[in-house]
């Protein structure tokens, strides 16, 4: 998931029932200037396995053009639980990440709001 914020894009990966979230500054996806809530932007996203190319335009001017590479390999997930004495414990479980498939969609949760129009999805 690519969360487009006013200041940049924060990628999220849903892996094995949990979310791995990056902030825009951590993945070099901060906008040079914040996006305006009263303007229409054009966004082009193309994915080729682990490479995600993101372009954002304001009118005809390209204001953002970055590539994000989805990390590969094994992620360690922390699971918290209570032991037989009701004490907090943690355990870790490895999970392999593969960029062989994915999905497209939109979400607005809590205070988030967005207007979306003219969506085109093509298999390349």
């Amino acid at each position: 998931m690519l969360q487009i914020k006013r200041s940049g894009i924060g990628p999220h990966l849903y892996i094995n029932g949990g979310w791995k979230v990056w902030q825009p500054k951590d993945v070099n996806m901060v906008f040079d200037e914040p996006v305006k809530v009263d303007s229409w932007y054009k966004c082009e996203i193309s994915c080729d396995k682990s490479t995600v190319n993101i372009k954002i335009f304001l009118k005809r001017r390209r204001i953002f053009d970055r590539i994000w590479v989805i990390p590969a390999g094994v992620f360690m997930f922390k699971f918290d639980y209570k032991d037989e004495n009701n004490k907090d414990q943690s355990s870790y479980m490895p999970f392999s990440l593969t960029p062989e498939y994915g999905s497209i969609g939109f979400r607005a949760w809590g205070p988030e709001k967005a207007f979306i129009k003219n969506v085109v999805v093509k298999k390349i």
Side-chain angles (χ1 to χ4, degrees):
M1 180 178 82
L2 298 174
Q3 183 180 28
I4 301 173
K5 305 176 181 190
R6 291 200 61 220
S7 61
I9 298 175
H12 296 44
L13 291 179
Y14 189 70
I15 308 167
N16 202 28
W19 288 98
K20 169 65 178 159
V21 179
W22 289 270
Q23 295 303 315
K25 63 182 169 81
D26 298 332
V27 288
N28 191 30
M29 290 209 287
V30 175
F31 300 143
D32 290 337
E33 57 186 64
V35 294
K36 303 171 190 167
V37 295
D38 61 350
S39 296
W40 284 103
Y41 292 84
K42 179 180 179 182
C43 181
E44 295 177 357
I45 300 171
S46 61
C47 304
D48 184 12
K49 294 201 178 5
S50 63
T51 302
V52 182
N53 190 340
I54 307 158
K55 296 178 184 175
I56 299 177
F57 302 84
L58 178 58
K59 298 188 179 174
R60 290 191 168 105
R61 182 173 59 100
R62 184 171 28 201
I63 63 166
F64 187 79
D65 187 353
R66 302 278 165 72
I67 291 175
W68 181 59
V69 178
I70 299 170
V74 176
F75 282 80
M76 296 299 286
F77 280 91
K78 180 179 176 186
F79 293 94
D80 297 322
Y81 63 95
K82 302 229 183 246
D83 67 11
E84 61 276 357
N85 298 319
N86 205 30
K87 291 187 178 182
D88 292 331
Q89 300 290 327
S90 295
S91 184
Y92 291 87
M93 174 183 274
F95 185 81
S96 296
L97 180 63
T98 176
E100 297 296 322
Y101 61 91
S103 62
I104 182 170
F106 300 94
R107 73 126 217 237
W109 177 82
E112 299 171 345
K113 296 177 178 73
F115 291 107
I116 299 165
K117 67 178 185 176
N118 303 331
V119 175
V120 177
V121 178
K122 295 189 263 183
K123 184 176 180 179
I124 54 174

